[in-house]
Amino acid sequence: MSKSDDVLYMRRCLELAAHGAGSVNPNPMVGSVIVSNGEIIGEGFHQKFGGPHAEVNAVASVANEALFPHSTLYVNLEPCSHFGKTPPCTDLIIEKGIPRVVIGCRDPHDAVAGKGTAKLIATGIAVTEGVLEAECKKLNEAFIKSHTAGLPFVALKLAETLDGKIATSHGASKWITGEPARGEVHRLRSIYDAVIISEATIRADDALLTVRHCSGRNPLRVVLDRQLNAPLTAKIFGSEAETLLFASSLSSGSPKVEQLRQIGVTVLFVNEHAEKLDLLEVLLELHKRHILSVMVEGGSRLSASFIRENLVDKIYMFIAPKLFGGDGLSAFAPLGITLPLDAVNLQFEAPRFFGNDLLLEAYLRK
Ligand SMILES: NC(=O)c1ccc[n+]([C@@H]2O[C@H](COP(=O)([O-])OP(=O)(O)OC[C@H]3O[C@@H](n4cnc5c(N)ncnc54)[C@H](OP(=O)(O)O)[C@@H]3O)[C@@H](O)[C@H]2O)c1
Ligand SMILES: [Zn+2]
């Protein structure tokens, strides 16, 4: 099998794996392909949390079992070697007599982390690692961050005009971008585990934060409301999706806590520092609740706070071909919150258009 064939089949694994987006969390997205004599004889992906792993589905799809000893199994993430919700995939590969395994990237999960690869090698299987490694790591960036940093992957999503304004001087921000860009935001919501919004933005926009312009599951909606200012009638407190509200521990005695709980909102308390909720504490609590990724749909101050606290991994900036001028609200230039004096350096991805709006994606360099 040539190196370019390995790349080709790994690309197919990535394509298959991506079908699990939004359904497998907090598990990783994994796809697997089995190839014999230059032909794909089986494929599968991890479809649902708790369900069979990609390798199991790929093995089960092979019609002619006699081909296993003459085949190569491709998988974008190191096969598991421990008993989780399902038995170890390494044992299945060994049992079927598959002589070669090609792996995209290592699994950072403590129970695997190199042990899967070591087990395969120990039984004489030829293992090739690191094929399309960067792409494989990117597909599971949230899973990897969660297991290596003990925190969710954090993306900021903002929509701004060409002159860098995220709201008019009257505070309206709902209609900056057009329908196709809003569709992409809904798709992002369907793959992020949670979205975070502030009480200030709820009061300005009364957004639902559900997935409506595409199919997919709703994210957990997380409201940051230090002093319990959001009205009980806000759309975000409706029953379409789950809502978690973080307030300051100083607000724990308020009668509104019980009222929120009665309408189905989970209320949690975290510390505040200098009249700001501790964002790290919020993220740690979400991590404890198996949230791998969050998209912050905040305004200027909340976005700036996340950047200043060095908690952001990625920014989605939708840019609309409009000018708001005047004293509209600038992204990241908020009242009383200054960014670090050194520049915050980012790395752009290829830009994409959604209708007339441009999406710039950028990773923060840490
Ligand atoms: N175009 C867009 O992409 C977009 C997106 C969202 C919102 N907006 C617009 O942005 C405006 C609101 O922006 P904003 O800057 O006033 O508010 P914001 O950034 O949405 O949020 C600030 C709010 O977050 C709370 N908060 C809790 N913890 C915080 C922390 N650690 N750091 C900072 N804030 C924290 C603050 O409450 P305390 O003050 O009690 O701490 C305050 O209510 C609205 O006009 C909205 O329409 C635009
Ligand atoms: Zn497995």
Side-chain angles (χ1 to χ4, degrees):
M1 202 74 64
S2 77
K3 222 172 167 181
S4 63
D5 287 338
D6 283 353
V7 167
L8 194 83
Y9 295 126
M10 190 57 72
R11 221 173 267 301
R12 178 68 188 142
C13 290
L14 287 169
E15 252 171 46
L16 289 164
H19 290 299
S23 315
V24 296
N25 338 23
N27 276 350
M29 286 173 261
V30 189
S32 178
V33 171
I34 302 174
V35 177
S36 185
N37 292 319
E39 239 180 78
I40 294 183
I41 58 164
E43 320 187 305
F45 65 97
H46 185 35
Q47 301 183 352
K48 202 171 173 292
F49 177 71
H53 289 183
E55 301 93 315
V56 175
N57 285 334
V59 163
S61 77
V62 172
N64 183 1
E65 293 242 338
L67 291 176
F68 282 131
H70 313 283
S71 67
T72 298
L73 181 142
Y74 292 84
V75 61
N76 57 297
L77 191 75
E78 179 183 3
C80 65
S81 53
H82 64 297
F83 281 87
K85 287 203 182 316
T86 54
C89 292
T90 46
D91 293 10
L92 179 69
I93 295 168
I94 294 163
E95 182 203 313
K96 296 292 174 192
I98 297 172
R100 181 171 181 246
V101 173
V102 179
I103 297 169
C105 68
R106 287 226 165 158
D107 185 338
H109 191 298
D110 287 345
V112 190
K115 297 188 192 83
T117 303
K119 193 166 174 184
L120 294 174
I121 292 172
T123 55
I125 292 175
V127 176
T128 305
E129 285 191 285
V131 173
L132 289 184
E133 189 172 27
E135 283 95 327
C136 292
K137 283 185 169 170
K138 186 166 180 218
L139 181 75
N140 279 308
E141 60 196 2
F143 176 79
I144 292 172
K145 165 101 188 269
S146 173
H147 283 281
T148 51
L151 285 170
F153 182 88
V154 177
L156 293 186
K157 181 237 99 187
L158 288 153
E160 67 170 24
T161 59
L162 200 52
D163 56 344
K165 301 292 161 63
I166 65 159
T168 63
S169 49
H170 314 294
S173 77
K174 261 189 181 168
W175 309 119
I176 290 180
T177 48
E179 197 71 35
R182 287 205 291 278
E184 176 61 6
V185 170
H186 283 229
R187 193 191 68 79
L188 290 171
R189 283 181 192 158
S190 79
I191 61 172
Y192 275 81
D193 289 346
V195 289
I196 297 185
I197 193 165
S198 73
E199 59 82 25
T201 293
I202 289 174
R203 283 188 292 114
D205 298 342
D206 199 14
L208 254 173
L209 295 192
T210 53
V211 174
R212 301 181 304 283
H213 293 296
C214 63
S215 61
R217 58 109 179 92
N218 288 319
L220 170 70
R221 302 176 296 184
V222 177
V223 178
L224 303 187
D225 190 359
R226 190 169 60 94
Q227 296 180 307
L228 301 171
N229 287 329
L232 290 167
T233 52
K235 287 190 186 141
I236 200 162
F237 297 137
S239 56
E240 299 85 352
E242 212 185 317
T243 306
L244 190 64
L245 183 144
F246 285 96
S248 156
S249 42
L250 301 177
S251 304
S252 61
S254 161
K256 203 160 172 191
V257 173
E258 197 40 44
Q259 290 167 334
L260 282 161
R261 287 180 173 154
Q262 269 170 12
I263 57 170
V265 178
T266 304
V267 183
L268 297 174
F269 301 101
V270 292
N271 290 316
E272 62 173 71
H273 305 294
E275 300 187 341
K276 292 275 159 277
L277 287 184
D278 187 326
L279 299 178
L280 181 60
E281 232 187 288
V282 168
L283 292 178
L284 287 168
E285 180 60 40
L286 293 176
H287 174 74
K288 256 197 250 161
R289 290 169 177 256
H290 308 294
I291 296 293
L292 297 186
S293 58
V294 303
M295 181 162 75
V296 181
E297 298 202 36
S300 185
R301 283 178 289 160
L302 192 57
S303 304
S305 277
F306 268 98
I307 294 274
R308 199 190 41 176
E309 314 270 322
N310 201 18
L311 295 172
V312 178
D313 297 291
K314 178 174 191 176
I315 297 176
Y316 295 95
M317 182 65 85
F318 288 89
I319 300 176
K322 290 180 184 169
L323 302 171
F324 276 179
D327 50 1
L329 185 63
S330 297
F332 308 118
L335 307 157
I337 298 179
T338 46
L339 289 178
L341 282 178
D342 295 339
V344 177
N345 288 311
L346 303 131
Q347 169 107 41
F348 277 136
E349 298 280 284
R352 288 184 289 157
F353 273 101
F354 290 90
N356 293 326
D357 303 312
L358 180 63
L359 171 59
L360 289 178
E361 288 174 71
Y363 281 85
L364 270 87
R365 290 202 178 140
K366 302 229 161 149

